[in-house]
């Protein structure tokens, strides 16, 4: 018999619930038979089990919870894994205003209570229940038979006769996505299942399916990770969390959206090591790399990186910043969100709720004596004009725009309200880019493409390659991605055309006459080098201006 049990028995004597003689008899029986005081008191018919349990509740000063037929909401079960609940003899009951209520058999176990508080980010409300009732409730509530998520090589589902530990399985999803090089995890509800897809090399790949009954548990666990409100399922939410997985520092950006069959969740994976890509590793040609290197060494002016969402603009900006980052320079950024943190940089997160917009943040940065300023995205005329003024007053400004090609960035700035002569005076150059998949080097083979593809490329004879698909590339034929680029660098003739209001096609043709290699031609060079395939280039890049000869591609 434990000392704590005897202390409780003595408290029952003080309160008149039982006599000293009855306690002594029960204590002697407990020691002799190596049984708990509770069992001895019940066997000797001194107290009923219910009287003993309610007495314990009063002893600890917390309410008693009858778990006889209690069924918990799956959204609260997901917060405490079954293994932990069983080993610590606790059971999650319900949620109330950022508080989690639990039944516990030993309320003096402060270590367990603090662990729950830390893991859930909530205050813990205690209820007492005996150990046997808690274990029964755990068995009954966690007994839903669900497939266990297996390793990538074991298919999309494991054994279907074991209860799932949702926290562990969500962790497994994240670990697998990182291992496979995914940029996003999509958790998608439908009428009959929960579909898990990972975006790998720009393509969505199905990795798991789970029954619809587990939707709320999985979504709730992800929400807890991102600091979101698990009681709110009718409105979109955004959150984030940082963690270390297999030695990698990973930031998770979590977005939820209500749909017909439940909340859709997308988790963007931002791995710190991937942000540190050298300028040489971006995939620029030697000539364009040298030109861009010279551009970022200019003391002032504006360099724009442009392309659609998911084209690698942020990675290019961070590579430029890493190249410029020394103790001799004050580099500041305004981003939404800050995707990666870099030593020495002062990075600012946009927060419209307190009036910290791109434009206001940029104005504040300019009062901080910066040498280099990075603007995560120019979305409006106010930000565009402030950025241009910064570039004209002694600062090197790096920024992104959403346009289809490099020349269109010029006309986009004018459409935003920046005067053409200011664009011409401030702009150093524009990097236009796309991401294309890299052909798997283990299963690549030469082949002859269809005549229509050769005609679109504008070249009759050149080496062509295609990947067959193998185990190393998950049968996709591709592993990893690289960029295709065009570098629009201003000169006197282009500045004059900009001030005259020339449209993007005119600027583009003039830039080509001055030696600009378009994204399409850069892509064809990567095809001839066996880096990617013609199909990838045709699917990703505008081919409206095909090469006229093999020399233009190879040269």
């Amino acid at each position: 018999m434990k000392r704590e049990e005897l202390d409780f028995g003595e408290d029952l004597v003080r309160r008149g619930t039982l006599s000293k003689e009855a306690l002594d008899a029960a204590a002697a029986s407990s020691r002799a038979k190596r049984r708990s005081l509770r069992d001895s008191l019940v066997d000797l018919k001194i107290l009923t089990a219910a009287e003993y349990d309610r007495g314990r509740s009063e002893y600890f000063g917390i309410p008693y919870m009858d778990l006889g037929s209690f069924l918990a909401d799956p959204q609260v079960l997901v917060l405490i894994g079954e293994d932990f609940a069983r080993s610590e003899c606790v059971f999650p009951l319900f949620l109330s205003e950022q508080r989690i209520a639990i039944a516990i058999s030993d309320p003096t176990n402060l270590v367990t209570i603090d662990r729950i508080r830390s893991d859930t980010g909530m205050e813990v409300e205690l209820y007492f229940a005996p150990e046997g009732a808690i274990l029964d409730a755990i068995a009954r509530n966690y007994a839903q038979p669900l497939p266990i998520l297996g390793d990538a090589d074991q298919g999309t589902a494991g054994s279907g006769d074991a209860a799932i530990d949702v926290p562990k399985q969500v962790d497994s999803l994240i670990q697998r996505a990182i291992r496979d090089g995914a940029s996003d995890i999509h958790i998608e509800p439908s009428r009959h299942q929960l579909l898990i897809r990972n975006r790998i090399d720009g393509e969505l790949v199905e990795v798991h399916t789970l029954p619809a009954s587990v939707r709320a548990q999985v979504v709730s666990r992800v929400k807890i990770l991102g600091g979101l409100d698990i009681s709110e399922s009718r409105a979109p939410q955004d959150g984030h969390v940082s963690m270390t997985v297999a030695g990698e520092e990973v930031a998770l950006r979590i977005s939820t959206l209500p749909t017909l069959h439940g909340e859709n969740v997308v988790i963007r994976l931002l791995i710190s090591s991937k942000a540190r890509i050298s300028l040489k590793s971006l995939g620029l040609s030697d000539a364009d790399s040298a030109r861009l290197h010279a551009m970022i060494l200019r003391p002032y002016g504006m360099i724009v990186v442009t392309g659609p969402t998911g084209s690698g603009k942020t990675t290019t900006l961070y590579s430029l910043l890493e190249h410029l980052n020394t103790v001799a320079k004050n580099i500041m950024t305004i981003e939404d969100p800050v995707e990666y943190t870099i030593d020495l940089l002062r990075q600012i997160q946009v927060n419209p709720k307190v009036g910290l917009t791109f434009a206001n943040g940029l104005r504040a940065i300019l009062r901080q004596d910066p040498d280099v300023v990075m603007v995560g995205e120019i979305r409006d005329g106010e930000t565009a004009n402030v950025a241009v003024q910064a570039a004209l007053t002694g600062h090197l400004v790096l920024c992104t725009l959403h346009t289809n090609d490099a020349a269109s960035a010029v006309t986009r700035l004018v459409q935003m309200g920046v005067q053409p002569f200011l664009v011409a005076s401030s702009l150093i150059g524009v990097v236009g880019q796309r991401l294309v998949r890299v052909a798997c080097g283990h299963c690549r083979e030469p082949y002859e493409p269809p005549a229509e593809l050769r005609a679109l490329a504008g070249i009759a004879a050149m080496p062509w390659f295609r990947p067959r698909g193998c185990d190393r590339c998950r049968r996709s034929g591709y592993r990893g991605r690289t960029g295709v680029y065009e570098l629009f660098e201003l000169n006197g003739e282009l500045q004059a055309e900009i001030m005259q209001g020339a449209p993007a096609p005119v600027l583009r043709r003039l830039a080509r006459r001055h030696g600009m290699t378009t994204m399409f031609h850069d892509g064809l060079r990567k095809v001839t080098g066996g880096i990617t395939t013609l199909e990838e280039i045709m699917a990703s890049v505008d081919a409206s201006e095909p090469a006229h000869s093999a020399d233009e591609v190879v040269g």
Side-chain angles (χ1 to χ4, degrees):
M1 184 179 67
K2 299 177 181 177
R3 177 64 208 181
E4 188 273 331
E5 287 182 302
L6 186 57
D7 290 342
F8 168 61
E10 291 172 348
D11 183 71
L12 292 177
V13 172
R14 284 192 294 271
R15 285 189 278 148
T17 304
L18 75 164
S19 66
K20 180 69 167 63
E21 293 74 18
L23 175 60
D24 291 342
S29 174
S30 177
R31 286 190 289 266
K33 297 182 179 180
R34 298 179 180 272
R35 304 183 68 188
S36 69
L37 179 63
R38 180 182 189 270
D39 290 343
S40 294
L41 287 168
V42 172
D43 284 350
L44 295 172
K45 300 188 184 308
I46 297 172
L47 291 178
T48 65
E51 288 172 335
Y52 180 92
D53 295 337
R54 293 188 182 278
R56 293 280 282 177
S57 170
E58 294 174 8
Y59 175 67
F60 289 121
I62 60 176
Y64 174 79
M65 175 61 69
D66 183 357
L67 296 177
S69 58
F70 188 89
L71 292 177
D73 188 322
Q75 293 197 43
V76 70
L77 288 176
V78 74
L79 303 182
I80 297 178
E82 181 180 2
D83 289 347
F84 179 83
R86 194 177 298 279
S87 65
E88 302 302 319
C89 204
V90 297
F91 181 75
L93 298 170
F94 53 84
L95 300 172
S96 175
E97 298 181 353
Q98 290 301 304
R99 298 172 69 87
I100 180 171
I102 66 167
I104 189 167
S105 64
D106 181 9
T108 65
N109 188 349
L110 300 181
V111 173
T112 293
I113 296 168
D114 285 343
R115 169 74 181 276
I116 294 171
R117 184 181 293 112
S118 174
D119 286 354
T120 64
M122 298 180 177
E123 287 302 312
V124 179
E125 184 176 345
L126 299 179
Y127 288 80
F128 174 80
E131 180 177 340
I134 288 177
L135 295 177
D136 287 346
I138 290 171
R140 185 172 61 254
N141 282 267
Y142 286 95
Q144 176 85 22
L146 298 172
I148 292 187
L149 307 184
D151 187 77
D153 299 328
Q154 297 174 350
T156 61
S159 168
D161 58 359
I164 193 168
D165 185 334
V166 171
K168 284 186 179 180
Q169 302 314 316
V170 171
D171 289 346
S172 175
L173 283 176
I174 295 170
Q175 291 166 8
R176 173 176 177 172
I178 292 170
R179 185 186 64 214
D180 290 349
S183 61
D184 303 85
I185 303 170
H186 289 240
I187 302 173
E188 304 169 336
S190 64
R191 181 186 298 274
H192 301 296
Q193 66 179 15
L194 187 67
L195 176 64
I196 313 296
R197 297 195 291 173
N198 290 345
R199 188 173 294 280
I200 302 173
D201 298 336
E203 302 286 324
L204 282 172
V205 179
E206 181 178 329
V207 294
H208 290 298
T209 57
L210 295 171
S213 57
V214 77
R215 286 186 309 217
Q217 292 173 288
V218 172
V219 171
S220 292
R221 179 58 184 173
V222 174
K223 283 182 169 183
I224 287 294
L225 286 176
L228 304 181
D229 183 357
I230 65 173
S231 66
E232 176 56 76
S233 60
R234 298 169 298 175
Q237 296 188 65
D238 295 290
H240 59 87
V241 65
S242 296
M243 59 177 61
T244 300
V245 180
E248 291 272 19
E249 293 182 17
V250 184
L252 276 57
R253 283 167 46 192
I254 299 169
S255 171
T256 69
L257 182 69
T259 70
L260 180 62
H261 299 295
E263 291 179 274
N264 196 80
V265 179
V266 176
I267 305 173
R268 170 65 55 87
L269 302 171
L270 303 167
I271 302 175
S272 295
S273 61
K274 290 187 176 181
R276 289 166 170 78
I277 298 177
S278 68
L279 201 53
K280 291 183 179 179
S281 301
L282 287 175
L284 289 155
S285 68
D286 290 343
D288 281 351
S289 182
R291 290 168 63 202
L292 182 57
H293 180 265
M295 288 164 61
I296 64 173
L297 294 181
R298 301 267 286 271
Y300 58 87
M302 185 160 70
I303 298 173
V304 177
V305 180
T306 190
T309 300
S311 59
K313 299 186 297 297
T314 299
T315 299
T316 297
L317 281 183
Y318 278 120
S319 298
L320 299 179
L321 292 176
E322 287 274 15
H323 191 81
L324 293 167
N325 193 18
T326 68
V327 294
K329 290 187 181 295
N330 180 17
I331 302 177
M332 305 190 75
T333 76
I334 177 78
E335 306 171 60
D336 183 24
V338 175
E339 295 191 0
Y340 303 101
T341 58
I342 300 177
D343 292 341
L344 290 182
L345 269 61
R346 263 65 65 200
Q347 296 171 267
I348 300 168
Q349 169 81 47
V350 167
N351 187 356
K353 292 180 180 178
V354 297
L356 183 55
T357 62
F358 273 112
N360 291 338
L362 182 53
R363 290 191 184 95
I365 284 174
L366 296 177
R367 296 191 288 270
Q368 295 281 309
D369 187 31
D371 298 297
V372 180
V373 178
M374 189 267 267
V375 184
E377 183 181 346
I378 292 181
R379 299 174 178 171
D380 54 68
E382 183 182 11
T383 306
N385 275 288
V386 176
V388 165
Q389 289 300 323
L392 291 171
T393 54
H395 307 90
L396 181 64
V397 178
L398 310 178
C399 57
T400 73
L401 274 175
H402 285 279
T403 63
N404 289 328
D405 59 75
S408 296
V410 173
T411 52
R412 178 69 179 132
L413 288 169
V414 174
Q415 290 167 358
M416 285 181 165
V418 181
Q419 293 296 320
F421 76 93
L422 292 177
V423 175
S425 302
S426 62
L427 194 61
I428 298 173
V430 182
V431 180
Q433 67 180 76
R434 296 288 191 280
L435 290 178
V436 295
R437 292 183 294 172
V438 174
C440 176
H442 294 277
C443 60
R444 188 184 66 187
E445 62 183 7
Y447 88 116
E448 187 66 20
E452 58 269 23
L453 280 181
R454 295 200 307 272
L456 281 172
I459 303 173
M462 62 185 291
W464 307 100
F465 298 91
R466 70 178 175 190
R468 297 188 309 272
C470 63
D471 290 340
R472 300 198 184 191
C473 60
R474 304 176 308 278
R475 300 291 168 185
S476 68
Y478 299 92
R479 291 184 70 188
R481 289 192 290 177
T482 189
V484 291
Y485 300 91
E486 59 187 22
L487 191 57
F488 180 93
E489 185 176 11
L490 265 69
N491 57 29
E493 189 173 358
L494 281 166
Q495 286 176 320
E497 289 292 338
I498 291 170
M499 286 190 284
Q500 293 298 317
V506 172
L507 298 175
R508 182 179 176 84
R509 286 194 294 271
L510 182 56
R512 287 193 66 189
R513 287 205 298 270
H514 284 284
M516 181 183 81
T517 299
T518 66
M519 285 183 279
F520 181 68
H521 298 147
D522 184 47
L524 289 182
R525 288 177 178 175
K526 290 179 169 66
V527 172
T528 64
I531 296 171
T532 189
T533 63
L534 182 59
E535 287 82 358
E536 271 294 292
I537 299 302
M538 302 304 294
S540 305
V541 180
D542 180 12
S544 60
E545 296 183 74
H548 299 292
S549 69
D551 291 340
E552 185 173 2
V553 174
V554 177

